Amino acid sequence: MKTSSHFLQPSSLISMLLIFAFGLTIGIIFSSYINNNFSLNLHVTHFSFSSSPSSSSPSSSSPSSPSSPPSSLSPPSSSSSEAAAGAAEAKTASIDANPCSNSKTNDTHLGLRKFLEPPSLNHDMNDEELIWRASLTPKLKDSPFKTDPKVAFLFLARGPVWMSLLWEKFFKGYDGLYSVYVHSDPSYNQTDPESDIFHGRRIPSKVVGWGNVNMVEAERRLLANALLDFSNERFVLLSESCIPLFNFSTVYSYLMNSTQNFIEAYDLPGPVGQGRYSPKMAPTITIQLWRKGSQWFQIDRSMAIEVISDQEFFPMFQNHCDGSCYADEHYLPTLVSAKFWEKNSNRTLTWVDWARGGPHPTRFIRNDVTNELLMKLRNQTRCNYNGKDNNICFLFARKFMPNTLDRLLRFTPKIMGFNR
């Protein structure tokens, strides 16, 4: 029996393999296209649902509270309600925990407080940098913040403030209404015990010589440091031998309610007045403008800024007031009389006794301190205050030596009414 068999030719086999491979490739490509398109549609649809404000349940990743669902939809289930309440509660807790989240009440005020915060007294600014920084002043009178105005007490001392314990009694109970600054000789090592009021209140200081122009530089340095605190509105220059004659509330009210500055200034012919004038100061400062007065001033903030910003009169004193010129007795009286006399009372609030004559006032020692003396200093004369006659003309007095402290501590609480 004859058997027939069909053998594929090599060319036919290759053609079939090519057709099969082509078909397989087309199938894979088509299948991939279908899967990708379907997945993309699902992703887009899911995104549109999760982003829709009409979603019945909030997205767990959304930081904001879910919107109320449209009325056409069913209310959310209890689990969804709990989730929404939890998200809202978490948001509230987050706001409360972050004081910077409320830009209206916190962000602005925090930044303003940081700007207004005075730098540490241990700053490394030199005099030029300090004066420039302190001379910055707002043009707007109405400030966007509320603070109690303070009196800056500026102590110009060789070493410690002798009457620090007395001043501590004076300041007690009035925190936030005063600030203290001390300019001491750089050689002073602070070995003497300090009261809490004066601890850490020394400013970067330089050597000061009696009657030298660098004493005025020290006064300007004190003013500049105090001006860095925007809440300081009145500035009082004192020495280590000064004492208060009234309690804090009286002193504070007297200074804050005054419409004038207190810088003593008068024209004095003779060798200790006009005789100290140098013609080299002309034409900026003529002898007709030359004035004398006490260096112990009490001024407001606007005047303090004018003093540290002066680049006209002060250089004349730096260059031409030396030797027996005594810049501290002439600079401020001359400057204020020439430019700011309208707001000046032409008197000082610091009493000194020149009755004994000589270049220095009377120094009071322990036995000099009596009730009678203190009462006399408080009520010894009458003067003009805000256009009216007044029996309080001096708020401070000097020169009281260290050995007077114990008697002062005994007499002053009752006479001066401290802590009232």
Side-chain angles (χ1 to χ4, degrees):
M1 183 176 194
K2 185 175 177 182
T3 304
S4 63
S5 61
H6 181 72
F7 295 98
L8 296 175
Q9 296 298 323
S11 58
S12 299
L13 182 60
I14 292 173
S15 298
M16 292 178 65
L17 290 175
L18 289 175
I19 293 171
F20 176 79
F22 179 77
L24 181 63
T25 301
I26 294 298
I28 292 173
I29 292 174
F30 182 76
S31 176
S32 176
Y33 172 78
I34 294 297
N35 289 337
N36 288 342
N37 188 53
F38 182 72
S39 175
L40 178 61
N41 288 338
L42 284 179
H43 178 71
V44 171
T45 304
H46 175 71
F47 180 80
S48 65
F49 278 14
S50 64
S51 301
S52 173
S54 62
S55 175
S56 62
S57 62
S59 172
S60 60
S61 63
S62 175
S64 59
S65 302
S67 302
S68 301
S71 58
S72 60
L73 297 181
S74 300
S77 64
S78 60
S79 60
S80 298
S81 299
E82 291 173 0
E89 183 177 356
K91 176 188 175 185
T92 303
S94 175
I95 292 176
D96 292 342
N98 183 6
C100 295
S101 62
N102 191 334
S103 61
K104 183 177 180 180
T105 59
N106 290 312
D107 279 355
T108 303
H109 292 173
L110 180 62
L112 185 59
R113 287 198 301 270
K114 192 67 176 177
F115 172 75
L116 296 175
E117 182 180 334
S120 167
L121 294 185
N122 294 323
H123 61 75
D124 60 354
M125 289 184 283
N126 59 35
D127 283 354
E128 182 180 6
E129 295 168 338
L130 173 65
I131 295 294
W132 182 88
R133 171 71 171 78
S135 66
L136 301 178
T137 179
K139 287 290 186 182
L140 297 179
K141 293 183 179 180
D142 295 330
S143 63
F145 60 94
K146 291 183 178 180
T147 183
D148 292 323
K150 296 191 294 188
V151 177
F153 292 84
L154 318 176
F155 289 87
L156 183 57
R158 295 180 178 86
V161 178
W162 299 338
M163 302 295 144
S164 60
L165 295 179
L166 180 64
W167 284 105
E168 187 170 344
K169 287 184 175 293
F170 170 79
F171 290 125
K172 185 177 180 180
Y174 295 97
D175 292 348
L177 296 179
Y178 69 88
S179 52
V180 172
Y181 303 84
V182 182
H183 188 293
S184 296
D185 192 283
S187 63
Y188 172 54
N189 58 13
Q190 289 184 284
T191 56
D192 299 306
E194 289 184 312
S195 69
D196 293 340
I197 298 296
F198 292 89
H199 181 71
R201 302 309 300 171
R202 289 182 65 188
I203 68 170
S205 307
K206 295 183 179 182
V207 176
V208 172
W210 178 70
N212 197 295
V213 72
N214 56 26
M215 184 172 287
V216 180
E217 293 172 352
E219 295 172 9
R220 286 160 54 96
R221 200 172 295 125
L222 279 164
L223 281 173
N225 276 277
L227 281 167
L228 297 181
D229 186 339
F230 281 86
S231 59
N232 286 328
E233 291 291 340
R234 282 279 173 169
F235 304 80
V236 178
L237 182 66
L238 302 160
S239 74
E240 67 268 66
S241 66
C242 285
I243 66 168
L245 295 177
F246 294 88
N247 59 25
F248 183 88
S249 60
T250 301
V251 171
Y252 183 88
S253 298
Y254 196 101
L255 293 172
M256 289 298 177
N257 293 325
S258 174
T259 59
Q260 292 185 307
N261 294 292
F262 298 91
I263 300 174
E264 186 180 53
Y266 54 90
D267 185 12
L268 180 66
V272 297
Q274 292 182 359
R276 296 174 178 175
Y277 170 77
S278 171
K280 295 180 180 179
M281 295 183 177
T284 302
I285 303 174
T286 64
I287 195 170
Q288 288 77 23
L289 295 178
W290 189 253
R291 294 294 183 270
K292 182 179 179 177
S294 170
Q295 75 177 108
W296 311 108
F297 58 74
Q298 301 81 28
I299 59 179
D300 61 19
R301 187 174 185 89
S302 61
M303 178 59 69
I305 294 174
E306 294 290 353
V307 171
I308 68 163
S309 304
D310 173 35
Q311 295 183 322
E312 183 181 5
F313 279 32
F314 188 57
M316 294 293 103
F317 278 82
Q318 286 180 305
N319 296 328
H320 307 299
C321 187
D322 50 18
S324 60
C325 177
Y326 302 108
D328 56 295
E329 295 183 4
H330 295 278
Y331 169 64
L332 273 183
T334 301
L335 173 68
V336 172
S337 295
K339 294 189 173 186
F340 311 105
W341 57 270
E342 300 97 334
K343 287 192 64 178
N344 189 36
S345 65
N346 284 335
R347 64 185 181 93
T348 179
L349 298 179
T350 301
W351 180 86
V352 293
D353 181 13
W354 291 99
R356 300 180 186 179
H360 300 283
T362 300
R363 297 183 178 186
F364 293 95
I365 59 176
R366 186 179 186 277
N367 292 335
D368 294 326
V369 177
T370 63
N371 286 333
E372 292 73 23
L373 172 66
L374 296 176
M375 292 298 295
K376 176 185 176 182
L377 298 183
R378 287 162 53 91
N379 302 287
Q380 62 176 316
T381 185
R382 304 194 69 84
C383 55
N384 182 285
Y385 176 77
N386 288 349
K388 297 181 180 180
D389 185 61
N390 193 285
N391 65 338
I392 298 179
C393 299
F394 297 103
L395 302 180
F396 315 99
R398 61 187 303 268
K399 285 183 152 182
F400 288 82
M401 296 297 102
N403 61 6
T404 64
L405 180 59
D406 62 333
R407 293 175 71 89
L408 288 169
L409 290 174
R410 272 190 288 156
F411 298 150
T412 54
K414 182 177 180 180
I415 296 177
M416 301 181 188
F418 286 173
N419 303 327
R420 289 195 304 191

